Amino acid sequence: MPTAEDYDLWLRFLKTGHQIGATNQQLMQYRLRGNSMTQGDRFKVFLVTQYLQAAYRRDQYPDADTEATEIQAYLKAHGAMDKQKADRFSQRVINLSAGKKALQQKHVFKAIGLVVPVLLDKDVRAYAQQSRQFNAVYAELRRRQ
């Protein structure tokens, strides 16, 4: 698995009937680094996450070897190895976040200037939708506590 191993694990737990939840209690410390996988190649993380969500919706997960082959083919087919495409995606995600922050600070024109060009990219739109869904599910898990 090139990235998102934990996400794959959680989806597999859910697929086999286990329950997961959220807690406000600190259970561990997590170190963020600028060169970590999730910070370094947002595009690959996004694509692997898309692949995993599709695998979760299927009736059965592939075995590890098949999954590795499928993921590599999926990444190649979607341009994950194109550094310019990956860099452009990352910059657009950063601009999207900056646009949301500008909107929260009531800088409407700045927000529009940052967000509108970004949302013309179908991958970034899908990323934004994925992010909203994750946040909604997480908020619901926290609400249930």
Side-chain angles (χ1 to χ4, degrees):
M1 182 77 55
T3 183
E5 301 92 344
D6 53 344
Y7 188 53
D8 182 53
L9 175 66
W10 301 127
L11 290 176
R12 287 175 186 271
F13 279 158
L14 290 172
K15 195 68 164 182
T16 58
H18 291 83
Q19 292 185 353
I20 59 174
T23 180
N24 287 327
Q25 183 181 2
Q26 181 176 340
L27 302 175
M28 66 178 173
Q29 290 184 323
Y30 184 77
R31 180 175 51 141
L32 290 175
R33 300 182 320 256
N35 65 345
S36 70
M37 248 190 279
T38 55
Q39 298 300 310
D41 195 342
R42 287 181 176 96
F43 190 49
K44 186 181 284 185
V45 171
F46 164 71
L47 290 175
V48 170
T49 301
Q50 277 194 319
Y51 169 85
L52 292 173
Q53 288 175 351
Y56 176 76
R57 287 189 289 273
R58 292 192 303 250
D59 288 336
Q60 185 176 354
Y61 271 99
D63 61 71
D65 291 335
T66 302
E67 183 177 56
T69 301
E70 286 181 4
I71 287 175
Q72 289 307 317
Y74 187 86
L75 291 173
K76 185 176 181 181
H78 289 84
M81 309 321 172
D82 181 341
K83 182 163 173 33
Q84 286 182 324
K85 187 172 184 175
D87 289 346
R88 190 171 46 248
F89 178 86
S90 290
Q91 186 57 56
R92 288 175 176 168
V93 167
I94 290 167
N95 288 352
L96 181 62
S97 294
K100 288 194 294 190
K101 185 174 182 179
L103 191 58
Q104 290 168 347
Q105 296 172 343
K106 310 283 190 243
H107 300 294
V108 176
F109 292 114
K110 181 179 180 180
I112 290 170
L114 287 164
V115 172
V116 169
V118 164
L119 292 179
L120 296 175
D121 183 320
K122 69 177 179 59
D123 288 330
V124 178
R125 282 195 315 272
Y127 171 88
Q129 181 180 12
Q130 195 179 80
S131 181
R132 277 194 312 275
Q133 289 170 342
F134 286 157
N135 290 336
V137 169
Y138 184 69
E140 177 61 22
L141 287 171
R142 291 189 64 187
R143 185 191 65 75
R144 289 182 188 176
Q145 287 185 337

